[in-house]
Every structure is written in C-alpha cells, then in structure tokens.
Amino acid sequence: MRFPDRRRAGQELGVRLTEWAADGDLIDPLVLALPRGGVPVAAEVARALGAPLDILVARKIGVPGHPETGIGAIVGDGPPLFDRRALAMLGLSEEELAPDVTRERTELHRREHLYRGDRPAPGLSGRTVILVDDGLATGATARAALHHLRTHSPAHLILAVPVGAPSAVTDLRQTADDVICLHQPPAFQAVGQWYDDFDQVSDEEVLRALEEVRTDSGPWR
C-alpha cells in the first residue's frame, strides 16, 4: 500500500478511525498533530471525526552523523526521553547529546510560538486524544509525545498513523491505549518510501491547515 500524498493518507486514516469509533464512544475527541508532516494527515482525520485539531510539538534527537535515525525525543520543557538500549549499543551518553537537545529545544519553542501564538494548549483531562503523524520509523518521537500526553490524564489515548515499521507499532502498543496503523510493511525502511509525494511540509502549510480546520469546526477547546 502506497499513498499519493499526506492528505490522501489522512483521508484513508479518517475512514478507518470513523469505522473504529462506531464500535465505541469517543469521549470529547481531540486530534493532535505532530508537526510538521503530521499536520496534513491530522487535518483530514479531524474533518472525518468532526473533532477539533491542535498541535503537539515534539523534536527528535538523532544519532550523530545520522540525524534521521531517532534515538530520543523531547516534548515541551520536559527532559529528553532516550532509547537507552540504543544508546548503549552505540556507545553514546546523554551528556554527549546535550548540545543536540539544546538545539532541538530552541526549534521546538520556535514552532510552538509560531503555530499557537498566545493561544493556550487545549485541556486533555478526561478526553479521547488522538495523536497523528505521517508515519512511524523508530517511534522515538511518538513515544515521547505519548508519555507527555499520558501525564495530562486523557480518558483514552490513541496513536494513529498511515504507515509504520512493524516493530515500532508493536512497541508503542505498550504506551498508547490503541494504535491504528493502516500499513505495516515488512520491508519498511523509511516513511517516505510509502508516499508518492513526500515533500517537506512548510510552516505556512501548517498554519493554513490549522486555520482551515478551525474554520470548519469552530473555536479550539
């Protein structure tokens, strides 16, 4: 299974979630996107569910020399969450990665301010929170995001992605209450290989998608 682009992937994911939701009660649902690539996907999910859309900015900490391979991640002002087994295998320490954490935290705050401005983050307690990204490779970013969300006491925490590495999907089932993944290819190498169009999403596209969904569904809550 390949997807033409993130928007089409989001539409297909939205159909699956709508079918899934028919078997249970989604209490006051909220769709949260991991920017930037997760936003076009999440916008379609939010439309399908008639739910509000917001963002949760997380930043991946990559392996030195191989930044696309996530070895940890940060969310908000919380401490980094590292894959300690991977650190040990690579002979790395958290101290060695401190400059990378500082750099990524600066970018995280830039994006939070740009995407949200002075608007407060939505309340999560007692709600069904659906975290959406465009795919899972190592799952490091999604894992950190789920751990962060869990501290806010959602009623139900769902991770939804169009495509993911089977090992990452299996691992994250221990962190989320449910994981919805349309395609888990055995030969998974990278998220982008499962999209015809996987161009980088710009800040302008993120802001436009957030505004369009807000216009469709009303004020954030």
Side-chain angles (χ1 to χ4, degrees):
M1 176 187 290
R2 288 177 61 85
F3 303 100
D5 53 28
R6 291 180 178 89
R7 181 176 180 182
R8 183 68 63 82
Q11 291 169 350
E12 294 186 27
L13 189 59
V15 169
R16 173 69 65 84
L17 279 160
T18 300
E19 295 171 346
W20 182 86
D23 296 328
D25 184 23
L26 293 185
I27 303 170
D28 193 12
L30 170 69
V31 177
L32 290 179
L34 287 171
R36 291 185 289 222
V39 174
V41 182
E44 298 302 328
V45 170
R47 288 190 178 97
L49 295 175
L53 171 68
D54 210 308
I55 51 99
L56 177 67
V57 182
R59 293 295 296 170
K60 176 171 60 181
I61 308 300
V63 175
H66 302 277
E68 291 305 311
T69 302
I71 198 171
I74 54 173
V75 182
D77 290 318
L81 182 65
F82 285 107
D83 182 335
R84 298 190 179 281
R85 183 172 56 182
L87 284 178
M89 289 177 59
L90 293 169
L92 293 170
S93 68
E94 294 189 28
E95 290 72 22
E96 291 176 271
L97 296 170
D100 301 81
V101 172
T102 298
R103 182 182 64 251
E104 293 301 336
R105 194 159 331 255
T106 298
E107 175 61 13
L108 184 153
H109 287 315
R110 182 196 74 84
R111 292 192 185 194
E112 283 185 332
H113 179 72
L114 177 64
Y115 302 153
R116 180 170 284 119
D118 296 328
R119 179 174 54 84
L124 306 180
S125 179
R127 304 181 73 169
T128 298
V129 177
I130 305 166
L131 180 68
V132 179
D133 203 357
D134 55 12
L136 291 174
T138 65
T141 304
R143 185 179 301 107
L146 290 167
H147 275 282
H148 171 81
L149 292 172
R150 185 67 76 185
T151 66
H152 291 270
S153 304
H156 203 79
L157 183 56
I158 302 167
L159 174 65
V161 294
V163 62
S167 59
V169 172
T170 298
D171 179 54
L172 290 171
R173 291 191 191 282
Q174 302 175 45
T175 308
D177 294 318
D178 286 288
V179 177
I180 310 297
C181 181
L182 300 182
H183 187 36
Q184 299 179 53
F188 185 96
Q189 294 181 344
V191 173
Q193 76 184 106
W194 304 102
Y195 287 84
D196 294 329
D197 178 359
F198 198 65
D199 289 345
Q200 187 176 63
V201 177
S202 68
D203 286 335
E204 291 73 19
E205 289 174 287
V206 169
L207 292 169
R208 184 164 59 249
L210 292 172
E211 182 59 31
E212 287 175 353
V213 175
R214 182 172 68 166
T215 300
D216 292 342
S217 62
W220 279 295
R221 62 183 191 273

